[in-house]
Amino acid sequence: MQIENLSDSTLPPYLACLEEWSDDIREAGGRKAAWLEKMKNRGLKVKVAVEDGETVGMIQAVPIEQSQAEGKNLYFIHCIWVHGHKGKGVGDRRGRGIGKAMLSALEEDVRTIGAKGMAAWGLALPFWMRASWFRKQGYRKADRDGMAVLVWKPFAEDAEAPRWIRRKKTPGRIDGKVAVDAFVNGWCNVQNTAIERARRAAATFGDRAEFRLVDTSERPAFLEWGLSDALFIDGKPVRIGPPPSYEKIRRAMEKRINKLPRH
Ligand SMILES: CC(C)(COP(=O)(O)OP(=O)(O)OC[C@H]1O[C@@H](n2cnc3c(N)ncnc32)[C@H](O)[C@@H]1OP(=O)(O)O)[C@@H](O)C(=O)NCCC(=O)NCCS
């Protein structure tokens, strides 16, 4: 197994989050590719794990100034993923040291460019990206917002702990219509899929629904709202990780539309 930087051959599996077999990921569209183009010039680091020519793991991090947290001279891991779906794609490759190898290669890389530490996030729950995994790798808790735990590992004595940037505003309603507000950064295909489903569903209601999209990969937009990836229907948050089905999202909109005064 080798840990590599992104190349022409590993780009397609990376853009599909190693799930080129997945219809859900196809639905995410080209948002991650557009995000990658932008972030390449903003310090993005990607490592992939390759075994016998197959891409089996990925990790991506950005300077913390480009992330959902605030801090100084740190990098922030958005996502680490070792393919774990049995019987699909490259199968289950977890628990064999791949995650650990990708993390240390990334740490080494950002140390050499002068970062004072690494931050990451995980859930305080036993699924998806678990905070407990990073703890086992020597990370400690810096902050917590709901179930999202911000962890970090300083490389220098004078490194300062990061903090989450919290939600600052909630989108408002619109007279005579259902407001569908989507916030999307682009780094995560799961969230890109949910937002794409919401966009398609809102379009089926014509002028009864208004879809408003905020591209939170632009820092001022993110800082204005304190929201990175989120969906609201008439100001009410809809959970998007894992992404709800298209039908579920459309039904939530329809319910609100049925409550609008008829014209
Ligand atoms: C977390 C993850 C990256 C770890 O990669 P991995 O290759 O399976 O892990 P490794 O084999 O390198 O494990 C390293 C260590 O972590 C431990 N470990 C594995 N899973 C763990 C868990 N869930 N909690 C705590 N420790 C765990 C291993 O026992 C091992 O311990 P050691 O250091 O004492 O040897 C991988 O399991 C994964 O991708 N999980 C899903 C994450 C996810 O949902 N990402 C978002 C995708 S959108």
Side-chain angles (χ1 to χ4, degrees), residues 64 70-74 116 152 154 156-163:
I64 199 156
E70 61 182 315
K72 275 191 223 144
N73 274 321
L74 305 175
K116 290 191 173 180
W152 81 305
E157 292 239 320
D158 61 346
E160 290 171 35
R163 308 278 306 162

Coordinates of all heavy atoms in Angstrom, one line a residue, residues 64 70-74 116 152 154 156-163:
I64 N -6.7 26.1 8.3 CA -7.9 26.3 9.1 C -8.7 27.6 8.7 O -9.9 27.6 8.9 CB -7.5 26.3 10.6 CG1 -8.7 26.0 11.5 CG2 -6.8 27.5 11.1 CD1 -8.5 25.3 12.8
E70 N -12.0 28.3 13.7 CA -11.0 29.4 13.6 C -9.8 28.9 14.4 O -9.9 28.2 15.4 CB -11.6 30.7 14.1 CG -12.1 30.7 15.6 CD -12.7 32.0 15.9 OE1 -12.1 33.0 15.6 OE2 -13.8 32.1 16.5
G71 N -8.7 29.4 14.0 CA -7.4 29.1 14.6 C -6.3 29.7 13.8 O -6.5 30.4 12.8
K72 N -5.1 29.5 14.3 CA -3.9 30.1 13.7 C -2.9 29.0 13.3 O -2.5 28.2 14.2 CB -3.2 31.1 14.7 CG -3.9 32.4 14.7 CD -2.9 33.4 15.5 CE -3.7 34.2 16.4 NZ -3.1 34.5 17.7
N73 N -2.4 29.1 12.1 CA -1.3 28.2 11.7 C -1.6 26.7 11.9 O -0.7 26.0 12.2 CB 0.0 28.6 12.5 CG 0.8 29.7 11.8 OD1 0.9 29.7 10.6 ND2 1.3 30.6 12.6
L74 N -2.8 26.4 11.7 CA -3.2 25.0 11.8 C -3.8 24.5 10.4 O -4.2 25.4 9.7 CB -4.3 24.8 12.9 CG -4.0 25.3 14.3 CD1 -5.2 25.1 15.2 CD2 -2.8 24.5 14.9
K116 N 1.5 24.6 12.7 CA 1.8 24.4 14.2 C 1.0 23.3 14.8 O 1.1 22.9 15.9 CB 1.6 25.6 14.9 CG 2.7 26.7 14.6 CD 2.7 27.8 15.6 CE 3.9 28.7 15.3 NZ 3.9 29.8 16.2
W152 N -7.8 18.3 18.1 CA -6.5 18.8 17.5 C -5.3 18.2 18.1 O -5.4 17.5 19.2 CB -6.5 20.4 17.7 CG -6.1 20.9 19.0 CD1 -6.6 20.5 20.2 CD2 -5.0 21.8 19.3 NE1 -6.0 21.2 21.2 CE2 -5.0 22.0 20.7 CE3 -4.1 22.5 18.5 CZ2 -4.1 22.8 21.3 CZ3 -3.2 23.3 19.1 CH2 -3.2 23.5 20.5
P154 N -1.3 19.6 18.6 CA -0.3 20.6 18.4 C 1.0 20.0 18.0 O 1.4 18.9 18.5 CB -0.2 21.3 19.8 CG -0.8 20.3 20.8 CD -1.7 19.4 20.1
A156 N 3.7 22.3 17.9 CA 4.6 23.3 18.5 C 4.1 23.7 19.9 O 2.9 23.6 20.1 CB 4.7 24.5 17.6
E157 N 5.0 24.1 20.7 CA 4.6 24.5 22.1 C 3.7 25.7 22.1 O 2.8 25.8 23.0 CB 5.9 24.9 22.9 CG 6.8 23.7 23.1 CD 7.1 23.5 24.6 OE1 7.3 24.5 25.3 OE2 7.1 22.3 25.0
D158 N 3.9 26.6 21.2 CA 3.1 27.8 21.2 C 1.9 27.7 20.3 O 1.2 28.7 20.0 CB 4.0 29.0 20.8 CG 4.5 28.9 19.4 OD1 4.5 27.8 18.8 OD2 5.0 29.9 18.8
A159 N 1.5 26.5 19.9 CA 0.3 26.3 19.1 C -0.9 26.6 19.9 O -1.0 26.3 21.1 CB 0.2 24.9 18.5
E160 N -1.9 27.3 19.3 CA -3.2 27.6 20.0 C -4.3 26.8 19.6 O -4.5 26.5 18.4 CB -3.5 29.1 19.7 CG -2.5 30.1 20.4 CD -2.8 31.5 19.9 OE1 -3.9 31.9 19.7 OE2 -1.8 32.2 19.8
A161 N -5.1 26.4 20.6 CA -6.2 25.5 20.3 C -7.3 26.2 19.4 O -7.5 27.3 19.5 CB -6.9 25.0 21.6
P162 N -7.9 25.4 18.4 CA -8.9 26.0 17.5 C -10.2 26.0 18.2 O -10.4 25.4 19.3 CB -8.9 25.0 16.4 CG -8.5 23.7 17.0 CD -7.6 24.0 18.1
R163 N -11.2 26.7 17.7 CA -12.6 26.8 18.2 C -13.5 26.7 17.0 O -13.2 27.1 15.9 CB -12.9 28.2 18.8 CG -11.9 28.7 19.8 CD -12.1 28.1 21.2 NE -13.5 28.3 21.7 CZ -14.1 27.7 22.7 NH1 -13.4 26.7 23.3 NH2 -15.3 27.9 23.1

